[in-house]
């Protein structure tokens, strides 16, 4: 049980060294009970700047290695993470509150990106294009973009790092990572394993600190950084985009969502209940692809709602280190106030609390279902990021599509139907980057993850994920008589 302590680190990692320029430290708290898990050195923008210099110096030699050489180091990193799966999962649960079972799942999920892109490193194919005159030959090659700044959130302390840096490293880029100050310990644990795996100095840099805005700004404004990959809120994504304008930086943005979960009258209701529980309550609703609005055909509204409320009543909130817990605490007080605000707003506009509806204590919000939800309620437009499931009613396919698309967001969407034609038509009409048909969990390293509209741009994972980290070069050879 104490094994995880061997993977606790309290410093940043820059240019192949554990780095601490600052004697000031900050506390990492367990969101389940506010206890202190560890203290970490609080670095600042100056440290980020040093990391950028190191990554810049390391870029040429790393990019010159063959894909196979990079792949070997990445495979070692993958293996080390899997060997230490239990310790990493414990650290993740302690600092994020994620139930241990979900943390184990995240280690598998996050490590899979390393394995996938280690394989892709060897397959960064170009093209030969028929020349446009008889004496010309045309080739297209892909080259790494340069230094990548990765800014990652607390809700997936491991997977959001590996989903960004794995394609970057595989392509030949070097990285400067700024993880969330809420969950730096998982990030530092996998940094230690990256060091053991043998990345050359400067290739992999991790800078931890609480001053998110100045650390992000320096990454965005540095002319030595070629690309920023960010997962987080739409508001911060907009700030980073503005800051990146002066250097015309490339951006991958994985931002907020407002996922509709549409259940048509012909759907398998038990499957829909199961999918809605998984899609809504994963990490207590604190993911960008979590179900935000359940839209149910009026003919099955009552039967679905009864079964769903019963399933919600079986969920168990508590400290994620205990057996059988599947509802995590909210990450902090701000999140609690926000979730409570959505519920109060819905009640004031006629919403019915069918179960839950209030905080259990200062850390946990009860899994909640709100019936008779309407478009006037705040969660119809905004992301809840908490264990609250509003149920809306619709009567036609057209109404369902209009309701589903009536949001600035466009990340994940879900639909339940047994009608093949309907599943095609609705999937095509949904303005989202991801559609789950009869499935509430859609994340995988083999599939392209990303959104449209205010949910961002770029795709992570799959064969598409590496494209965001390469430049395409067209080479024309002339005078071949
Ligand atoms: C996120 O919440 O940003 C990521 C969710 C996922 O990868 O499933």
């Amino acid at each position: 049980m104490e094994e995880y302590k061997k993977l606790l680190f309290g410093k940043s990692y820059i240019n192949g060294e554990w780095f601490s320029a600052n004697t000031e430290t900050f506390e990492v708290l367990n969101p389940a009970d506010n206890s202190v898990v560890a203290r970490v050195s609080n670095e600042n923008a100056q440290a980020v700047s040093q990391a950028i210099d190191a990554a810049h110096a390391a870029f040429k030699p790393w990019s010159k290695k063959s894909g196979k050489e990079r792949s070997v180091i990445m495979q070692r990193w993958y293996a080390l993470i899997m060997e230490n799966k239990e310790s990493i999962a414990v650290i993740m649960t302690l600092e994020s509150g994620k139930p241990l079972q979900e943390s184990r799942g995240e280690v598998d999920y996050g490590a899979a990106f390393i394995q996938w892109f280690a394989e892709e490193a060897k397959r960064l194919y170009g093209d030969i294009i028929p020349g446009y005159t008889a004496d010309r030959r045309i080739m297209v090659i892909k080259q790494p973009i340069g230094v990548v700044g990765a800014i990652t959130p607390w809700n997936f302390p491991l997977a959001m790092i590996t989903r960004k840096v794995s394609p970057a490293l595989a392509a030949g880029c070097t990285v400067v990572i700024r993880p969330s100050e809420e969950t730096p310990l998982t990030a530092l644990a996998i940094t230690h394993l990256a060091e053991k795996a043998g990345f050359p100095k400067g290739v992999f840099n991790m800078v931890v600190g609480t001053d998110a805005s100045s650390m992000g700004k320096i990454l965005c404004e540095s002319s030595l950084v070629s690309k920023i990959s960010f997962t987080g809120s739409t508001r911060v994504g907009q700030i980073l985009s503005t800051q990146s304008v002066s250097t015309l930086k490339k951006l991958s943005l994985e931002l907020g969502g407002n996922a509709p979960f549409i259940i048509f009258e012909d759907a398998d209701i038990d499957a829909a209940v199961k999918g809605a529980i998984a899609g809504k309550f994963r990490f207590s609703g604190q993911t960008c692809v979590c179900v935000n609005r359940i839209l149910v055909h009026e003919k099955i509204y009552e039967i679905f709602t009864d079964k769903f409320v019963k399933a919600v009543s079986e969920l168990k909130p508590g400290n994620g280190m205990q057996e059988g817990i599947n509802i995590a605490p909210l990450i902090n007080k701000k999140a609690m106030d926000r979730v409570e605000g959505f519920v109060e707003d819905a009640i004031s506009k006629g919403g019915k609390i069918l179960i839950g509806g209030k905080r259990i204590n200062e850390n946990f919000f009860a899994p909640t279902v709100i019936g008779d939800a309407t478009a006037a309620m705040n969660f119809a437009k905004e992301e809840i990021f908490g264990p609250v499931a509003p149920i809306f009613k619709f009567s036609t396919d057209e109404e369902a599509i209009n309701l589903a698309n009536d949001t600035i967001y466009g990340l994940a969407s879900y639909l339940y139907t047994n009608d093949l034609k309907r599943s095609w038509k609705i999937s095509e009409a949904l303005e989202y980057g991801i559609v789950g048909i009869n499935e509430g969990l859609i994340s995988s390293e083999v599939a392209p993850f990303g959104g449209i509209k205010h949910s961002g741009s770029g795709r992570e994972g799959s064969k598409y994920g590496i494209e965001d980290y390469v430049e395409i070069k067209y080479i024309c050879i002339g005078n071949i008589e």
Side-chain angles (χ1 to χ4, degrees):
M1 201 56 188
E2 298 293 283
E3 187 70 16
Y4 77 90
K5 291 194 174 155
K6 289 192 198 147
L7 284 186
L8 282 183
F9 293 85
K11 291 180 179 174
S12 290
Y13 183 77
I14 298 175
N15 204 21
E17 308 280 343
W18 291 93
F19 173 99
S20 166
N22 201 342
T23 46
E24 190 200 317
T25 59
F26 67 96
E27 290 175 342
V28 181
L29 300 181
N30 182 337
D33 56 12
N34 305 329
S35 59
V36 178
V37 183
R39 299 191 70 93
V40 177
S41 286
N42 195 0
E43 301 308 332
N44 54 23
Q46 177 56 33
V48 175
S49 178
Q50 280 181 244
I52 293 171
D53 289 343
H56 184 248
F59 173 63
K60 270 225 176 85
W62 179 247
S63 65
K64 292 270 176 283
K65 284 191 187 297
S66 69
K68 193 166 175 174
E69 286 171 299
R70 292 194 291 268
S71 177
V72 168
I73 300 175
M74 292 180 69
Q75 293 282 6
R76 276 204 296 264
W77 188 30
Y78 166 77
L80 284 164
I81 289 179
M82 293 311 289
E83 270 166 40
N84 289 279
K85 174 173 164 178
E86 193 60 18
S87 293
I88 298 171
V90 168
I91 292 171
M92 190 184 295
T93 292
L94 291 176
E95 68 177 348
S96 72
K98 192 169 280 201
L100 191 56
Q101 205 46 37
E102 279 191 48
S103 295
R104 290 183 184 123
E106 184 180 336
V107 178
D108 288 337
Y109 173 49
F113 288 103
I114 305 173
Q115 189 185 41
W116 173 275
F117 285 108
E119 287 156 1
E120 290 295 280
K122 296 176 273 184
R123 298 187 196 114
L124 206 47
Y125 301 139
D127 269 318
I128 302 286
I129 298 177
Y132 51 93
T133 59
D135 66 340
R136 286 180 168 91
R137 303 290 181 273
I138 296 175
M139 293 180 295
V140 173
I141 59 169
K142 292 181 181 169
Q143 293 182 302
I145 204 164
V147 176
V148 171
I151 305 176
T152 60
W154 51 265
N155 63 342
F156 286 84
L158 189 155
M160 294 307 100
I161 293 176
T162 55
R163 191 156 83 181
K164 296 180 189 319
V165 306
S166 306
L169 294 167
C173 302
T174 54
V175 296
V176 177
I177 307 156
R178 193 266 164 198
S180 166
E181 69 273 25
E182 310 272 6
T183 54
L185 302 174
T186 306
L188 292 171
I190 63 168
T191 300
H192 164 69
L193 300 175
E195 181 182 42
K196 276 180 86 172
F199 287 102
K201 73 185 186 118
V203 168
F204 186 104
N205 304 276
M206 180 73 72
V207 191
V208 177
T210 54
D211 189 357
S213 56
S214 64
M215 294 169 96
K217 188 163 185 284
I218 197 147
L219 279 169
C220 291
E221 292 182 350
S222 167
S223 57
L224 300 184
V225 176
S226 304
K227 178 180 174 82
I228 296 290
S229 180
F230 168 71
T231 293
S233 71
T234 296
R235 188 185 63 81
V236 174
Q238 285 164 333
I239 295 170
L240 298 176
S241 298
T242 308
Q243 290 171 345
S244 297
V245 166
S246 64
T247 52
L248 292 177
K249 223 175 263 358
K250 304 230 168 9
L251 292 167
S252 288
L253 300 171
E254 201 264 272
L255 308 176
N258 183 346
F261 187 99
I262 314 171
I263 310 164
F264 292 95
E265 67 274 29
D266 64 278
D268 174 337
I269 294 179
D270 292 327
V273 169
K274 197 161 164 249
I277 293 285
K280 172 71 244 183
F281 294 102
R282 178 175 176 224
F283 195 21
S284 281
Q286 300 177 106
T287 90
C288 305
V289 288
C290 270
V291 174
N292 213 66
R293 295 167 292 152
I294 302 180
L295 316 180
V296 187
H297 191 275
E298 59 188 3
K299 277 195 195 143
I300 54 161
Y301 180 87
E302 249 158 62
I303 178 160
F304 170 80
T305 303
D306 287 350
K307 286 182 178 225
F308 185 61
V309 169
K310 181 165 180 308
V312 171
S313 73
E314 284 157 16
L315 296 173
K316 281 207 181 67
N319 187 321
M321 290 303 294
Q322 289 160 14
E323 270 309 301
I325 293 300
N326 43 28
I327 291 291
L330 294 180
I331 189 71
N332 54 31
K333 181 175 175 331
K334 199 167 148 214
M336 178 65 82
D337 293 344
R338 188 177 151 80
V339 169
E340 204 166 49
F342 280 118
V343 174
E344 281 164 9
D345 167 75
I347 294 172
S348 74
K349 292 172 182 164
K352 284 202 187 74
I353 303 294
L354 303 177
I355 188 167
K358 50 183 187 306
R359 45 176 96 191
I360 300 168
N361 57 36
E362 61 174 324
N363 306 89
F364 290 86
F365 199 88
T368 295
V369 181
I370 301 181
D372 294 341
T374 69
M377 296 172 186
N378 290 345
F379 44 52
K381 297 274 182 286
E382 295 168 41
E383 185 173 36
I384 300 171
F385 239 64
V388 174
I391 310 188
F392 300 68
K393 223 182 257 177
F394 69 86
S395 50
T396 64
D397 286 18
E398 201 189 358
E399 191 190 353
I401 293 167
N402 289 339
L403 267 172
N405 287 341
D406 185 19
T407 164
I408 56 169
Y409 296 109
L411 185 55
S413 58
Y414 307 87
L415 65 105
Y416 273 67
T417 178
N418 280 322
D419 178 332
L420 184 62
K421 267 199 231 163
R422 178 182 261 158
S423 68
W424 265 110
K425 277 166 59 187
I426 305 290
S427 299
E428 285 168 0
L430 286 169
E431 296 164 359
Y432 289 83
I434 304 169
V435 180
I437 302 175
N438 297 333
E439 180 56 64
L441 294 174
I442 39 65
S443 306
S444 160
E445 80 282 9
V446 306
F449 187 105
I452 60 172
K453 293 159 74 177
H454 283 220
S455 290
S457 58
R459 291 295 177 270
E460 297 190 307
S462 81
K463 68 171 182 173
Y464 304 102
I466 204 160
E467 301 295 335
D468 282 15
Y469 296 90
V470 295
E471 296 285 10
I472 286 178
K473 184 176 282 175
Y474 148 47
I475 302 172
C476 176
I477 311 174
N479 284 306
I480 299 178
E481 303 293 339

